[in-house]
Amino acid sequence: MTLLTTWPESGPDTVVRRTSDPAEIAAALKPLGVRYEQWPVRADVPADAGGEAVFAAYGPEIDRLSAEEGFTTVDVLGLHPGDDPEYPVRAEAAREKFLQEHTHDDDDEVRFFVSGSGVFYLHVDGEVHAVLCERGDLLGVPRGTTHWFDMGTRPSFTAIRFFHQEDGWIGNFTGSAIASLFPDHDTLTAGYERDGAAG
């Protein structure tokens, strides 16, 4: 259900672009310096697979991208409902943190979705581009790009993260409430499933 939706930064009343075509998504994001590509889905990798299984399954793709982009640190982050009694607290805290608009000074934000989904919102040149990513999608947001991320009210995903710096994720929060103006992960996902991507 990969989907790109673009609105004016003033709000979601007017849709500038809406497409689920991977080639169109890549072409629309390229002028922003955003990398979008799809990797083969390894159907034998469980949705909640740990790092060892993920690295074994996607080793060639990880090695290729790391060599191309000079990444020095790669890890696997997973968040799934289940038997973990701490899941509700951890999920709410993680969602709240990433929902705040921010930038990164020293590193790109590059994620590959092994399972599940998430939405990256890119706030660039007077527009907001919401990229709903799912299993098989890789998105690379360049350092300095204003953005936020929503994993939904009940997060369930596993992602490979790529870093140039060992410090990992360091965000500079803008203090803007713009994220509250636009449809969240759950709304976009529900709308896509109900209406399809046409339009």
Side-chain angles (χ1 to χ4, degrees), residues 161-176:
R161 307 189 302 172
F162 296 82
F163 300 101
H164 294 100
Q165 308 293 332
E166 291 186 7
D167 293 339
W169 195 96
I170 300 175
N172 302 311
F173 297 98
T174 68
S176 171

Side-chain angles (χ1 to χ4, degrees), residues 134-150:
E134 67 162 10
R135 184 173 67 157
D137 290 333
L138 179 132
L139 194 75
V141 180
R143 68 192 71 190
T145 301
T146 307
H147 66 285
W148 67 93
F149 175 74
D150 188 11

Side-chain angles (χ1 to χ4, degrees), residues 13 19 44 55 63 76 86 91 102-103 126 129-130 135 140 145 150 196:
D13 292 339
T19 180
D44 58 335
F55 283 126
D63 291 344
V76 175
E86 295 298 316
H102 60 276
T103 62
H129 310 268
R135 184 173 67 157
T145 301
D150 188 11

